Amino acid sequence: MELHRHHLEAEVRRQGLPVRDGCVDLEAEQTTCPACLHVFAPKGHQRCPDCGLAFR
Ligand SMILES: [Zn+2]
C-alpha cells in the first residue's frame, strides 16, 4: 500500500497539484479527489463518487 501511495503522490505532483498527506479533507465544503480530480462535497462520503477511491 505504501508503494501505491508513493506512486499516487508522484502522479499528483507531476500534475502540479498539492499533496495533502495523501488524504482528502473530509471536513471541507468541497474537496478534490487526488486520483481523478473530481470535485465533490465529502460529507457522508468515504469514497470518491466518481472513481471509487477510498479515503480511509
Ligand atoms: Zn476520484
Side-chain angles (χ1 to χ4, degrees), residues 21 25-26 38 45:
D21 289 333
D25 184 2
L26 295 172
H38 181 63
H45 289 284

Side-chain angles (χ1 to χ4, degrees), residues 33-38 40 48-53 55:
C33 173
C36 71
L37 308 184
H38 181 63
F40 63 100
C48 170
D50 198 49
C51 72
L53 177 74
F55 302 129

